[in-house]
Amino acid sequence: GAVVSQHPSRVICKSGTSVKIECRSLDFQATTMFWYRQFPKQSLMLMATSNEGSKATYEQGVEKDKFLINHASLTLSTLTVTSAHPEDSSFYICSANRAGNTIYFGEGSWLTVV
Amino acid sequence: GQSLEQPSEVTAVEGAIVQINCTYQTSGFYGLSWYQQHDGGAPTFLSYNALDGLEETGRFSSFLSRSDSYGYLLLQELQMKDSASYFCAVRDPRAAGNKLTFGGGTRVLVKP
């Protein structure tokens, strides 16, 4: 079964609204999680590193005020897309690593902004 | 920074062998990973090479040459279900956890 769970798997929202995506590690603690964005037929681009108990680290070019990341517990990180616009429509996916070097990805979340 | 290059697309027939090359430029190196992603799905881990040589896992094998900053994924006895995108990735040794940088992905299309 899934080791890292993402929710929702698909969401449609109106322009200007905000939407929250959750990423949970199901049976392990993850002090660090990563958020990626993937446009159709393109690669996964790292958006930010989510750090439990501290601020997220954003990649160059990613607006931290637009993509709010909260990692309030060792098993949950959330990504909130604020004031969403159609160009934010994308596949968002998180990852976490269990003890050692094993990386697990969530199932991904399709965001469509209309 | 980190950058990885791989071909954008490969087409082959069932039963054939496909090799996907990946060249990388990194400021540090913790090994080369390969992931498979079907359309609409999440990436799934295929293999990891930290040392030079060939790693075999069933029909899939992965090779690494650190001196050449080069690796490849070999898909043997291709099946229709192998139609997917394949990504090479490296881990950033400066970052906590497992921060991955992905190549652009190679779309493999398997034809009957």
Side-chain angles (χ1 to χ4, degrees), chain B:
Chain B
Q2 327 270 76
S3 70
L4 300 96
E5 296 288 329
Q6 52 182 127
S8 58
E9 196 170 295
V10 172
T11 301
V13 297
E14 272 188 298
I17 298 173
V18 161
Q19 178 173 316
I20 302 171
N21 298 321
C22 174
T23 57
Y24 57 87
Q25 289 185 321
T26 60
S27 52
F29 186 71
Y30 269 10
L32 187 70
S33 300
W34 289 92
Y35 290 83
Q36 179 193 60
Q37 186 182 31
H38 287 98
D39 285 346
T44 55
F45 173 78
L46 290 178
S47 69
Y48 171 72
N49 294 67
L51 301 175
D52 291 352
L54 190 68
E55 293 281 341
E56 297 180 76
T57 310
R59 295 186 297 114
F60 295 175
S61 303
S62 58
F63 172 82
L64 175 67
S65 169
R66 288 174 296 169
S67 60
D68 295 322
S69 297
Y70 162 77
Y72 66 73
L73 179 70
L74 193 69
L75 314 179
Q76 301 180 78
E77 300 172 28
L78 274 180
Q79 300 177 9
M80 296 298 290
K81 66 178 181 179
D82 298 330
S83 290
S85 291
Y86 294 82
F87 296 90
C88 55
V90 292
R91 184 159 74 95
D92 186 340
R94 302 163 299 174
N98 278 293
K99 174 179 170 181
L100 291 174
T101 299
F102 288 87
T106 299
R107 197 168 181 85
V108 173
L109 177 61
V110 182
K111 294 187 173 180

Side-chain angles (χ1 to χ4, degrees), chain A residues 30-114:
Chain A
T31 55
T32 306
M33 293 184 178
F34 299 94
W35 286 97
Y36 297 84
R37 178 169 56 182
Q38 185 179 33
F39 293 108
K41 298 188 178 182
Q42 293 187 24
S43 188
L44 291 87
M45 299 301 295
L46 180 67
M47 299 175 67
T49 303
S50 175
N51 305 299
E52 188 269 334
S54 64
K55 291 182 180 180
T57 306
Y58 290 82
E59 295 300 301
Q60 193 172 6
V62 178
E63 300 174 60
K64 58 183 177 183
D65 294 332
K66 180 166 182 63
F67 299 100
L68 300 179
I69 291 172
N70 184 277
H71 196 147
S73 79
L74 285 170
T75 59
L76 174 65
S77 173
T78 61
L79 168 68
T80 302
V81 183
T82 63
S83 186
H85 291 283
E87 56 264 33
D88 298 324
S89 298
S90 186
F91 186 57
Y92 293 87
I93 190 163
C94 67
S95 74
N97 69 287
R98 215 165 180 169
N101 289 320
T102 306
I103 300 169
Y104 295 95
F105 284 89
E107 304 98 329
S109 301
W110 284 100
L111 170 63
T112 302
V113 184
V114 298

